[in-house]
Amino acid sequence: MFGVKVVTAAAAVVLLMACAGPAPALADTIEAALVRAYQSNPQLNAQRAQVRSTDENVPQALSGYRPKVNLTATGGYQYQDIQLSPATPSFHGTTVPRSVGVTATQTLYNGNQTANRTRAAESQVSGAREGLRVLEQQVLLQAATIYMDYLRDAAIVEVQRSNTRVLEQTLKQTRDRFNVGEVTRTDVAQSEAQLAAGRTQQLTAESNLTTTRSNFRRIIGNEPVNLAPGSPVDRFLPSTLQQAVEISLIENPNVTAAMFGIDVNFLQVKINEGALLPTVTVQASAQQANEQSLQSLRSFGASAIAQLSVPIYQGGAEYALIRQSKENLAQQRLNLDTTRDQTRANVVTAWGQLVAGKAQVASAQAQVTASEVALNGVREEAKAGQRTTLDVLNAQQALVNARNALVTAQHDRVVASYSVLNSVGRLSPQVLNLPTTSYDPSVHYQQVRDSWAGVRTPDGR
């Protein structure tokens, strides 16, 4: 019994680290998985559509600079019976009145509301782009995490399956020894119990792997097949925690989005204050009318009118809007402080997890080595009668736990490096040098910014 060799999943334990060796041919790499998630993740594509929708706020605001032109036309049938005075006879008849007219209105000044609305819309676009960066980073982090989750869970399944095979062989040999009187019924029961526990652990691991496989498909877009080892991205990280914190307060998209939020709210104050200022407009119109009455065969009129409107009092609503927008601005500034504090905390937490992950990998590797030595020693001592069956089973379980801990530590080590990069604000295809074309939101913006007319989107819809 105690001479049984443990066929473990040692190979699975090293699957997580790129240093384990070259990837097999046609293996799916973590970089390829990140590219697929970046290109096809539906949540990310929906956010890109939201950014394109926000782009349209700018031409809407710019429309305030442009004239508004209306064309009107009328036509119909008319009967009239007219007597101009008591001394004149009446006359009657039918006409077909028709007219066509055009009116153009141009705002010359409206308290700079159009200019401020345009600037606010541009800040909204910038904020939406930062929101897109936030989601891009989240999706890439989720993709890296689920990739490593699958490697971890697959390795744990192999460890548990190997453990089950060893326990089955151990139980068989224990029963053989019981039949010849070398061990007691208690030893058999202990082996049976350990095998039952091992099978339960294997089923749990397989269930976890099934769940991870479905999440892999949801986030990355395909079933996981022949995954290559994953490696940390420490080469893209700042060298010190202080540098990481400083960079995050400048580059983290949550922080920059909050900054653009302040700009939007500041300009909203200016827009509301503009409602208290005069408005100057010019209106030009021309109208051609025919057969409007029995006495009028044709008429033509044209006019150009300038209008000055000075608001005096509109019930106080405009003043309330100004006060409200100032409070919103103050709130957004406080939100920026909160976002910076949260970003700083996230960076420190992620950095601490990375440092701990490095130490945990070394510790877990030492634990596996020591557990293997201990198991071999317990087996040899059991041959000499100095150890019991339970001691061997406990040593075997300790080795399984150590290998599971190593797999988990290697997983956490890789994920922690991606988490630091995400917290800093640099988890992007450009920084990771992913072989894909980065989505550029400015392309759509430039296509629609100065559009005066047209209902088709730039992609033809």
Side-chain angles (χ1 to χ4, degrees):
M1 162 187 170
F2 304 113
V4 175
K5 289 188 177 181
V6 183
V7 183
T8 65
V13 173
V14 298
L15 275 177
L16 299 179
M17 305 299 289
C19 59
L26 302 179
D28 191 8
T29 65
I30 190 171
E31 290 79 11
L34 294 178
V35 168
R36 289 196 301 275
Y38 180 78
Q39 292 176 341
S40 61
N41 185 275
Q43 184 181 10
L44 187 54
N45 286 330
Q47 187 66 25
R48 289 166 180 161
Q50 178 62 43
V51 173
R52 293 193 294 270
S53 174
T54 305
D55 290 344
E56 299 292 349
N57 290 342
V58 175
Q60 290 176 29
L62 287 171
S63 67
Y65 287 120
R66 300 165 186 163
K68 295 176 176 59
V69 181
N70 293 315
L71 177 67
T72 59
T74 63
Y77 179 83
Q78 178 177 269
Y79 171 80
Q80 288 182 312
D81 189 342
I82 300 174
Q83 184 176 13
L84 298 178
S85 66
T88 60
S90 63
F91 57 95
H92 61 86
T94 60
T95 59
V96 182
R98 54 198 182 278
S99 66
V100 60
V102 61
T103 302
T105 304
Q106 176 66 57
T107 300
L108 301 180
Y109 180 75
N110 61 353
N112 290 324
Q113 291 185 70
T114 299
N116 289 324
R117 285 194 180 100
T118 302
R119 293 167 57 197
E122 292 171 343
S123 295
Q124 289 173 346
V125 169
S126 299
R129 292 178 184 177
E130 296 306 301
L132 177 60
R133 282 186 58 211
V134 171
L135 189 58
E136 284 178 349
Q137 294 200 144
Q138 291 176 353
V139 168
L140 290 176
L141 179 59
Q142 290 173 359
T145 301
I146 198 64
Y147 187 96
M148 297 308 301
D149 286 352
Y150 187 84
L151 287 177
R152 176 199 61 194
D153 294 345
I156 290 177
V157 166
E158 291 304 316
V159 170
Q160 296 297 342
R161 287 174 179 172
S162 175
N163 180 54
T164 300
R165 290 192 294 269
V166 171
L167 292 175
E168 288 172 347
Q169 193 170 1
T170 300
L171 175 59
K172 179 180 179 300
Q173 295 192 1
T174 303
R175 285 173 175 168
D176 292 341
R177 297 186 68 204
F178 172 73
N179 291 334
V180 297
E182 292 183 5
V183 296
T184 67
R185 178 61 187 166
T186 300
D187 295 302
V188 176
Q190 289 172 340
S191 297
E192 290 174 343
Q194 195 72 7
L195 176 58
R199 286 172 175 167
T200 299
Q201 293 170 357
Q202 177 184 331
L203 292 173
T204 301
E206 290 172 347
S207 174
N208 293 337
L209 182 61
T210 299
T211 301
T212 303
R213 182 182 292 109
S214 66
N215 288 329
F216 190 102
R217 174 69 177 80
R218 174 179 60 86
I219 295 173
I220 296 181
N222 66 288
E223 295 291 334
V225 178
N226 195 21
L227 301 189
S231 60
V233 288
D234 294 358
R235 61 191 180 279
F236 302 123
L237 299 180
S239 57
T240 65
L241 174 59
Q242 182 61 33
Q243 290 181 357
V245 171
E246 292 175 355
I247 293 173
S248 69
L249 297 180
I250 299 174
E251 299 185 15
N252 188 286
N254 288 298
V255 175
T256 51
M259 291 179 177
F260 285 119
I262 291 178
D263 293 341
V264 172
N265 281 271
F266 174 78
L267 291 167
Q268 189 60 48
V269 173
K270 296 300 182 183
I271 292 171
N272 292 335
E273 289 177 344
L276 302 178
L277 300 177
T279 299
V280 179
T281 60
V282 172
Q283 184 180 80
S285 63
Q287 184 177 32
Q288 172 73 44
N290 294 283
E291 298 187 41
Q292 296 298 304
S293 68
L294 292 174
Q295 297 173 306
S296 175
L297 178 63
R298 184 183 65 83
S299 66
F300 174 81
S303 65
I305 302 173
Q307 180 179 1
L308 171 65
S309 175
V310 181
I312 302 299
Y313 185 72
Q314 286 81 38
E318 67 276 22
Y319 301 107
L321 283 174
I322 293 172
R323 296 193 300 269
Q324 183 183 55
S325 57
K326 288 181 177 179
E327 294 296 343
N328 291 337
L329 175 59
Q331 179 189 23
Q332 189 61 39
R333 286 172 173 162
L334 294 173
N335 288 341
L336 174 59
D337 293 337
T338 301
T339 302
R340 283 173 171 162
D341 291 340
Q342 185 61 55
T343 299
R344 183 183 293 106
N346 291 342
V347 171
V348 173
T349 299
W351 191 275
Q353 291 173 344
L354 177 61
V355 173
K358 295 177 181 178
Q360 287 169 358
V361 170
S363 176
Q365 288 172 339
Q367 182 184 0
V368 169
T369 301
S371 296
E372 289 173 345
V373 173
L375 177 59
N376 292 331
V378 169
R379 286 199 182 112
E380 293 300 322
E381 293 172 2
K383 291 178 183 179
Q386 297 176 348
R387 294 283 184 170
T388 65
T389 301
L390 181 60
D391 293 331
V392 177
L393 294 173
N394 288 340
Q396 169 65 23
Q397 185 60 46
L399 178 58
V400 170
N401 293 341
R403 286 183 172 133
N404 287 342
L406 177 57
V407 169
T408 302
Q410 290 174 330
H411 161 277
D412 294 344
R413 165 76 174 85
V414 176
V415 172
S417 65
Y418 279 91
S419 295
V420 173
L421 201 60
N422 173 68
S423 300
V424 170
R426 291 185 172 179
L427 184 56
S428 65
Q430 298 88 341
V431 173
L432 296 176
N433 296 323
L434 297 180
T436 182
T437 302
S438 298
Y439 179 79
D440 186 1
S442 66
V443 172
H444 178 269
Y445 174 77
Q446 295 299 333
Q447 289 173 334
V448 302
R449 185 184 191 278
D450 296 316
S451 177
W452 281 54
V455 296
R456 287 189 175 274
T457 61
D459 60 3
R461 288 175 288 129

